[in-house]
Amino acid sequence: MAQRLGHAFGDLGLLMTALTHRSYVHEHPELAAADNERFEFLGDAIVGAAAAMVLERRFPTAREGELTRRRADLVNEGALATIAAELGIGDALRLGRGEERSGGRQKPRLLASALEACVAAIFLDAGIEPAIAIARALLAPRIDALAPGAKDFKSRLQERMQARGETPRYELERTEGPEHERVFHVIVTAPDARVLARGSGRTKLEAEQAAARAALSELERARETDG
């Protein structure tokens, strides 16, 4: 795994932690002292910074809004999960029996989180420059394949509604499931409190994006009907 990431670890224990899901720690506390959640938190910031650097250099005339949308496309869960799958991170994950049986090695959320954790492990092992360099190398080949903001549905909905003097509002409707498998349900409303759409996801942001996507579909359907 270290070879695929392009980093020779001085402390392989950091890489092992990055590949350890909380379900494994719960079942094998004698084999793993910590899971990868703290690493994921740190790696998220490093990957985001690397994406910003790559995009700023690749699109020197782009405005902030376009760069923000491109970054959201580049580092969203699906995009990072694809990179992780290509690296074979799924096969290297340490999972508990429940996650193993439920297909955890293919779950985008687990793959994306583990990739971010691996970047954090590189940072902790060798410092910020190698971590940024590797993150940039992983992200760069995917930039030209992305349209600006193609998947950032919240930004697109905001722009669509602001053109007619409105601003969408997102409200958390409810959550369900255990803490490690939490599902968020969100509604997006117009200024008059009219519900435009609902969305669900593993994070609040993912649920908001799903709601925005559904709202855009409804607005487009209404436009076609009026036309």
Side-chain angles (χ1 to χ4, degrees), residues 77 81 93 98-99 102-112 181 202:
E77 181 180 283
L93 287 175
E99 280 293 345
S102 67
R105 297 187 186 280
Q106 290 79 43
K107 288 183 180 178
R109 179 173 52 83
L110 269 62
L111 289 170
E181 290 288 349
R202 294 292 186 180

Side-chain angles (χ1 to χ4, degrees), residues 4-182:
R4 293 179 184 177
L5 286 167
H7 177 69
F9 280 87
D11 182 358
L12 274 174
L14 293 169
L15 179 59
M16 293 298 291
T17 298
L19 297 169
T20 302
H21 187 257
R22 63 187 301 174
S23 61
Y24 186 89
V25 177
H26 179 72
E27 294 181 13
H28 304 285
E30 74 285 359
L31 298 177
D35 59 46
N36 64 5
E37 291 183 2
R38 288 179 62 86
F39 281 23
E40 175 194 351
F41 170 77
L42 179 58
D44 175 69
I46 298 170
V47 170
M53 293 177 187
V54 170
L55 290 168
E56 194 278 332
R57 175 164 294 188
R58 177 64 179 77
F59 303 101
T61 62
R63 298 179 67 85
E64 180 187 2
E66 178 184 337
L67 292 172
T68 298
R69 290 191 291 273
R70 285 187 180 274
R71 183 175 59 183
D73 288 352
L74 194 58
V75 300
N76 66 32
E77 181 180 283
L80 295 181
T82 297
I83 297 172
E86 292 173 356
L87 290 171
I89 284 178
D91 294 335
L93 287 175
R94 297 205 292 178
L95 303 175
R97 289 187 297 273
E99 280 293 345
E100 189 77 65
R101 286 194 298 267
S102 67
R105 297 187 186 280
Q106 290 79 43
K107 288 183 180 178
R109 179 173 52 83
L110 269 62
L111 289 170
S113 298
L115 177 62
E116 291 173 334
C118 285
V119 171
I122 294 168
F123 164 71
L124 293 171
D125 188 64
I128 191 62
E129 290 186 6
I132 288 286
I134 287 173
R136 291 178 66 172
L138 293 173
L139 296 171
R142 288 153 175 82
I143 290 177
D144 290 330
L146 294 173
K151 297 178 183 176
D152 188 4
F153 299 107
K154 285 185 66 177
S155 294
R156 290 167 58 191
L157 179 62
Q158 177 124 348
E159 291 173 358
R160 179 83 171 264
M161 293 184 67
Q162 283 183 340
R164 58 191 196 188
E166 299 179 332
T167 300
R169 292 185 58 192
Y170 297 88
E171 298 177 18
L172 181 62
E173 192 171 33
R174 71 183 192 280
T175 60
E176 60 184 10
E179 183 180 349
H180 65 287
E181 290 288 349
R182 189 69 49 85

